[in-house]
Amino acid sequence: MTDEQLEQLSINTIRTLSMDAVQAASSGHPGTPMALAPLVYTLWNRILRFDPSDPIWPNRDRFVLSNGHASMLLWSVLHLTGTKAVNADYERLGQPSVTLDDIRRFRQLGSHAPGHPEYHWVSGVETTTGPLGQGIATSVGMAIAERWLAQRYNRPGFEVFDYDVYAVCGDGCLMEGVGAEAASLAGHLGLDRLCWIYDNNHITIEGSTQIAFSEDVAARFQAYGWDVLRVGDANDIDRIEHALQVFRTTKGRPTLVILDSHIGYGSPHKQDTSAAHGEPLGDDEIRLTKRGYGWPEDAKFLVPDGVREHFAAGVGARGAEARRRWTELFAGYRSKHPELATEIEQMQRRELPAGWDRNLPVFPADPKGLAGRDASGQVLNVLAQNVPWLLGGSADLGPSNKTTLKFEGAGDFQAGSPGGKNLHFGIREHAMGAILNGLSLSKLRPFGATFFIFSDYARPAIRLSALMEIPTIFVFTHDAMGDGEDGPTHQPVEHLASLRAIPGLVVLRPGDANEVVEAYRTVLQLRHRPAVLALSRQPLPTLDRKRYAPASGVARGAYVLADAPDARPELILIATGSELGLAVQAHEKLLADGIRSRVVSMPSWDLFEDQPQEYRDGVLPPGVRARVAIEQASTFGWERYVGAEGRSIGMHTFGASAPLKELQKKFGFEPDRVVAVARELVGKQ
Ligand SMILES: Cc1ncc(C[n+]2csc(CCOP(=O)(O)OP(=O)(O)O)c2C)c(N)n1
Ligand SMILES: [Mg+2]
């Protein structure tokens, strides 16, 4: 067989595996894999520096399939390259990541060929995609990470980081706003290791893109500062390769390759129609299409002899050689720059460096206290010095979020200073969320900030961080009515409840400055869970920890802060964040009146739920039914802890524009109200 024949055979293998898998599953998306098989073939077999035997090798090129519905492209290529599996502890397992059997069981329970690419589930997937636009936005984070890693770790003669990031996307990704936010920032930052390939097929689910998408994409990306290339025929692999080579030599800006393609390529009745997008072709159409490809019509899941070997000789050999050279390079690097090498190794395993929590502040008791955001700013400035790869920024609210890193050498990340630790996301919360995930997938430890109210603008990325099981840190300040005069557009109400509903996400709302310290201490140690910190705008009294329990209880999600005599409460006040001080005030009054109250500080439901039943029963004894939850947010969900007989003091409406004091009065966040509710519950009015 000639090389050309082998290439065509390999491309058609990707196509037919995709068609057969979708048909067997009776669901999925055959058309785009059929159209993009030549692209994926070319990128993987001719360009990508990826070693199938070690898919987490740190300096590999990244491949992101942002149009995640075309997942069969990825399953085909991961299978054909023999990519190996790794586990959550980053151990290489030796067994294949995606078997032919997985592909036969595409979209079935337990198969490593699920409906969409899933990072935590299939090795070789660089990020979870499916929500359109997320993949390309995440790829910007990966490209920022590459610049940052190169700047910090490369030394003369030791280019330990110099990888490229490729993302394939469709019309949907480019219609979604998150893609535009991310492209704008990537252009600003001149991320020249970033290449997006746009599958310009003029088709989405409802039909032709003419019904909703008539902009000039090329002009838009040029305006963003990207280099824009065009390949007019998605079957022309030499031109595709050429475009990718041009990208590799382009300096100072990212590249968009516009690739004109035909969805469902080769299908006599479905090519160029939306019918090829999201349903099986049907047995007859598959037969006709295979005939057109010169494929045995009745063969199913056929991988012809020579195809696996062809991938092994292409990406397999090139990747193995690149990794071998890198491993050698890294051995020399380790002997010359041992500290830096250790950092890289720790980072890869998501470990923390020795002394990561040294010099964390301890805040003395202070009735005037400190705002959650101010305590957070102090803590972040310590942690980011202890953990070199902790970095982050805000969506243009750094001065308000107090997330700016101010120590000597922290610096700003810009095109000309890619070692800076302060990222400026601009007013682009959604892209910020995705970019943070991209940084985290690159093993950096990123944090990103905005007002809590605008967490909604980042929510899809927050959800994905939890789904991917990656430890992204979201810092949200102005977490309740504290935004006072700004009014209800700026006052979160339902946000805590809605974020608590995301599985795996750790939501923490610390109640004083020392709880902020402990919250960060807990969050930093998470390896596979993202976290949200909800922090106050206004000062909160710093509790006297000689009188009350130590803030280290935060690690368990909830703890007894102040107790009834003999630890025998008849009433439990449960509070979070800015309402903790209020609970303590009410508690002191109740105690003075002879009511045996206990205060439970509950900064995190999620962490509390992870504790053994015995601990939880110790904090919230099942026999004590008189319980009051106090939180300046929707009461939704608090029944879980206060039970049918308890009460929740919270928000039942949106807030209002007024000074905080007046809002506290209007909405009932005052000690006397808490005392009155508590007395009623214990029947001692
Ligand atoms: C955020 C988001 N909205 C909607 C969808 C549902 N959806 C999946 S594919 C698709 C059409 C995508 O069109 P295009 O990106 O052009 O892909 P093609 O059909 O050309 O492969 C839609 C609307 C989604 N996956 N994500
Ligand atoms: Mg399309």
Side-chain angles (χ1 to χ4, degrees):
M1 223 181 292
T2 65
D3 275 358
E4 243 164 68
Q5 284 168 324
L6 253 179
E7 284 163 1
Q8 206 50 50
L9 198 67
S10 303
I11 290 167
N12 285 336
T13 305
I14 298 175
R15 287 180 167 139
T16 51
L17 281 178
S18 304
M19 288 152 55
D20 289 341
V22 172
Q23 192 66 36
S26 298
S27 82
H29 304 78
T32 305
M34 290 159 73
L36 296 186
L39 165 71
V40 166
Y41 167 80
T42 311
L43 179 49
W44 277 69
N45 221 32
R46 292 191 179 178
I47 303 282
L48 213 61
R49 289 167 301 173
F50 173 87
D51 183 0
S53 68
D54 186 358
I56 57 171
W57 162 48
N59 197 36
R60 69 193 180 279
D61 288 342
R62 282 13 181 216
F63 174 79
V64 172
L65 190 69
S66 194
N67 46 352
H69 55 276
S71 60
M72 269 311 302
L73 283 169
L74 202 41
W75 308 146
S76 302
V77 84
L78 288 176
H79 173 67
L80 295 172
T81 55
T83 297
K84 296 288 196 287
V86 291
N87 65 15
D89 286 323
Y90 311 110
E91 293 160 343
R92 288 98 177 145
L93 300 179
Q95 83 222 29
S97 169
V98 178
T99 64
L100 197 54
D101 214 43
D102 286 317
I103 291 178
R104 282 199 186 92
R105 299 189 55 254
F106 180 46
R107 293 181 156 238
Q108 308 309 304
L109 196 63
S111 166
H112 285 94
H116 290 81
E118 294 194 48
Y119 172 75
H120 78 288
W121 180 239
V122 190
S123 307
V125 173
E126 299 285 6
T127 182
T128 294
T129 51
L132 297 171
Q134 286 293 329
I136 45 176
T138 303
S139 76
V140 173
M142 295 176 181
I144 291 175
E146 191 279 336
R147 290 288 74 200
W148 192 89
L149 289 164
Q151 179 67 25
R152 175 166 179 89
Y153 294 107
N154 289 357
R155 290 293 181 273
F158 294 101
E159 299 277 303
V160 286
F161 290 104
D162 69 337
Y163 57 84
D164 293 317
V165 180
Y166 298 91
V168 177
C169 60
D171 299 299
C173 291
L174 294 195
M175 289 188 204
E176 290 288 356
V178 67
E181 292 178 18
S184 168
L185 186 58
H188 167 78
L189 292 173
L191 299 175
D192 53 19
R193 309 307 296 264
L194 179 67
C195 180
W196 291 0
I197 300 127
Y198 165 38
D199 174 29
N200 182 35
N201 64 9
H202 300 285
I203 290 289
T204 63
I205 289 178
E206 292 184 4
S208 162
T209 50
Q210 278 171 19
I211 61 173
F213 194 50
S214 43
E215 69 188 35
D216 183 339
V217 169
R220 172 157 72 98
F221 275 75
Q222 272 163 356
Y224 289 148
W226 288 53
D227 191 34
V228 179
L229 305 173
R230 187 162 206 129
V231 175
D233 175 2
N235 287 316
D236 190 337
I237 58 180
D238 290 334
R239 274 178 199 261
I240 291 172
E241 182 182 6
H242 178 70
L244 298 175
Q245 297 293 7
V246 171
F247 151 67
R248 296 208 59 197
T249 55
T250 299
K251 295 286 164 251
R253 50 201 168 140
T255 295
L256 178 75
V257 178
I258 301 179
L259 180 69
D260 297 332
S261 83
H262 296 279
I263 194 167
Y265 176 78
S267 159
H269 302 105
K270 298 201 169 167
Q271 177 176 317
D272 293 322
T273 72
S274 58
H277 164 89
E279 56 193 64
L281 294 179
D283 286 323
D284 294 343
E285 189 73 5
I286 287 181
R287 226 173 265 119
L288 290 175
T289 309
K290 285 181 178 168
R291 188 186 300 167
Y293 293 156
W295 204 258
E297 289 174 32
D298 290 315
K300 292 223 162 69
F301 300 101
L302 174 66
V303 180
D305 289 345
V307 169
R308 289 194 183 88
E309 293 75 6
H310 182 60
F311 279 102
V315 59
R318 189 178 53 252
E321 175 60 14
R323 181 168 70 95
R324 191 193 58 73
R325 268 189 276 121
W326 186 88
T327 308
E328 242 174 67
L329 182 81
F330 194 73
Y333 183 78
R334 192 189 288 107
S335 50
K336 235 178 145 189
H337 307 285
E339 284 92 11
L340 294 177
T342 301
E343 283 184 20
I344 292 171
E345 286 167 342
Q346 285 172 329
M347 197 188 320
Q348 296 309 313
R349 294 190 297 265
R350 295 201 186 284
E351 290 167 3
L352 291 163
W356 65 273
D357 62 350
R358 67 172 170 248
N359 302 331
L360 279 175
V362 177
F363 295 99
D366 176 2
K368 263 191 32 232
L370 198 65
R373 58 176 171 154
D374 285 315
S376 163
Q378 290 189 34
V379 173
L380 273 174
N381 270 278
V382 171
L383 287 173
Q385 293 180 69
N386 296 345
V387 183
W389 53 95
L390 179 75
L391 78 177
S394 166
D396 199 48
L397 287 170
S400 293
N401 299 139
K402 310 287 182 186
T403 43
T404 308
L405 301 176
K406 296 182 169 161
F407 52 88
E408 172 86 39
D412 285 338
F413 184 97
Q414 289 292 346
S417 56
K421 291 181 57 137
N422 285 293
L423 301 173
H424 297 282
F425 295 102
I427 306 142
R428 304 181 181 97
E429 296 82 4
H430 196 177
M432 173 175 78
I435 289 168
L436 292 172
N437 288 342
L439 292 163
S440 184
L441 290 161
S442 311
K443 305 284 176 70
L444 299 181
R445 201 64 206 279
F447 64 88
T450 183
F451 290 155
F452 194 29
I453 191 80
F454 303 130
S455 61
D456 282 342
Y457 274 47
R459 187 177 172 89
I462 299 172
R463 180 178 196 274
L464 279 184
S465 70
L467 181 55
M468 289 193 275
E469 301 176 2
I470 55 173
T472 310
I473 304 169
F474 299 93
V475 180
F476 296 136
T477 69
H478 300 57
D479 70 342
M481 297 301 119
D483 217 9
E485 293 85 341
D486 273 334
T489 59
H490 281 55
Q491 293 158 345
V493 171
E494 72 281 19
H495 300 72
L496 281 168
S498 78
L499 289 169
R500 283 172 181 150
I502 295 181
L505 177 67
V506 175
V507 180
L508 273 151
R509 187 171 186 250
D512 78 347
N514 289 307
E515 284 202 359
V516 171
V517 176
E518 296 310 314
Y520 272 104
R521 197 193 303 277
T522 304
V523 166
L524 260 279
Q525 294 174 77
L526 299 171
R527 293 174 73 224
H528 296 296
R529 294 178 78 176
V532 160
L533 289 151
L535 302 167
S536 77
R537 172 205 192 194
Q538 75 276 21
L540 307 179
T542 306
L543 297 168
D544 181 353
R545 297 291 171 167
K546 289 198 203 72
R547 179 153 177 207
Y548 303 116
S552 53
V554 167
R556 311 198 76 167
Y559 63 102
V560 178
L561 177 76
D563 212 353
D566 308 324
R568 285 177 40 245
E570 61 184 308
L571 164 83
I572 307 176
L573 304 176
I574 313 169
T576 80
S578 47
E579 286 63 68
L580 188 60
L582 176 60
V584 170
Q585 283 180 51
H587 166 79
E588 298 295 352
K589 284 196 180 198
L590 289 162
L591 274 191
D593 294 351
I595 293 173
R596 298 198 315 274
S597 109
R598 160 182 287 190
V599 177
V600 168
S601 173
M602 190 181 254
S604 174
W605 291 15
D606 311 284
L607 295 175
F608 186 61
E609 292 299 324
D610 290 344
Q611 304 307 313
Q613 187 71 45
E614 201 188 330
Y615 177 79
R616 284 184 282 148
D617 287 348
V619 175
L620 299 175
V624 185
R625 313 277 270 275
R627 301 178 181 188
V628 184
I630 316 157
E631 185 173 70
Q632 214 170 68
S634 166
T635 58
F636 188 92
W638 273 108
E639 315 79 38
R640 171 184 294 198
Y641 298 114
V642 298
E645 295 159 49
R647 292 278 297 275
S648 299
I649 299 177
M651 295 296 294
H652 301 275
T653 63
F654 293 114
S657 171
L660 177 60
K661 273 250 161 310
E662 283 177 46
L663 293 175
Q664 284 168 332
K665 192 160 170 212
K666 174 175 166 59
F667 293 110
F669 294 93
E670 293 190 308
D672 289 347
R673 163 98 191 289
V674 178
V675 167
V677 170
R679 282 181 162 279
E680 198 185 310
L681 266 187
V682 293
K684 296 182 181 170
Q685 286 101 317

